[in-house]
Amino acid sequence: MPTQLQRKPVNTYHHGDLRDALVEAALRQAEREGPEAISIKALAKQLGVSQPAPYRHFADREALLQAATAEAFRQFNAIMREAIDKPSKRSKLSRFAQAALDFGLRRNGIYRLMFASRLMACAASDSELHAAARETLALLVESFETPAVGLLRERHALQIWAALHGVISLAEQGLLTGQVARVTREELIEDIVQQTQAALEAAIAKAGA
């Protein structure tokens, strides 16, 4: 009879396993209680490892947060890729924006880890965090479905990203209910999408005149 593979005992980690476990645990903590609640000491206890063990993989809390944020961006990018590739009568930009809105409202703790902290500003430009964030911007630029003319797509991508972030942040703080204008957050985002697409098309036409 062939020998059965032994299952690794729960809460035992070797080499890179603990690093990945810490990153995933940090993301779960951010989603439940916000990024402020992430603590290396608490995560070590939760994972059943010694207090010094996490420091074999991360120099400090900020290093762990940067790794967790990079992973959050990669997961976010996978969701955005699925959204813009899915067959639909709506534009890719609309699908990207609505998926980002949904992510920001449903998983706000992780969203704040990604977009409402100074981790990006403090990370090296060649870090995995910056690489993952650049992929997000590339997906947004791709979703415009227009030819590349100078940096017009990038410029309008930044405009819509700023608007998206504003809507998500205001909604999370309870400052954007839409009651005054009788508009839902989804309808507001769709208005922003259509206005941005029209402005980009006009700018491309002007550039080609």
Side-chain angles (χ1 to χ4, degrees), residues 97 101 111 156-170 176 188-189 191-193 195-196:
L101 174 66
Y111 182 88
H156 285 76
L158 291 177
Q159 290 174 7
I160 200 166
W161 192 253
L164 262 169
H165 182 62
V167 170
I168 292 169
S169 298
L170 289 172
L176 182 63
L188 180 59
I189 289 296
D191 287 346
I192 293 169
V193 164
Q195 291 163 12
T196 305

Side-chain angles (χ1 to χ4, degrees), residues 54-65:
Y55 294 98
R56 301 191 193 111
H57 303 277
F58 300 105
D60 51 28
R61 179 177 182 271
E62 182 167 313
L64 169 60
L65 291 182

Side-chain angles (χ1 to χ4, degrees), residues 106-178:
R106 285 193 309 104
R107 307 183 68 183
N108 193 257
I110 291 181
Y111 182 88
R112 285 191 289 115
L113 177 67
M114 296 163 65
F115 298 109
S117 72
R118 289 193 54 79
L119 289 167
M120 190 73 68
C122 298
S125 59
D126 60 350
S127 65
E128 63 169 343
L129 176 52
H130 275 270
R134 284 193 294 268
E135 177 62 22
T136 302
L137 180 58
L139 285 168
L140 177 53
V141 170
E142 178 187 333
S143 73
F144 276 101
E145 302 179 270
T146 55
V149 178
L151 294 174
L152 288 176
R153 292 188 306 176
E154 286 78 4
R155 188 167 180 172
H156 285 76
L158 291 177
Q159 290 174 7
I160 200 166
W161 192 253
L164 262 169
H165 182 62
V167 170
I168 292 169
S169 298
L170 289 172
E172 191 272 333
Q173 293 167 18
L175 298 173
L176 182 63
T177 63

Side-chain angles (χ1 to χ4, degrees), residues 93-94 97-98 160 163 167 181-199:
L93 182 59
S94 173
Q98 295 293 347
I160 200 166
V167 170
R182 294 183 181 177
V183 63
T184 67
R185 292 167 296 203
E186 291 75 16
E187 289 169 339
L188 180 59
I189 289 296
E190 196 59 34
D191 287 346
I192 293 169
V193 164
Q194 293 180 12
Q195 291 163 12
T196 305
Q197 284 180 312

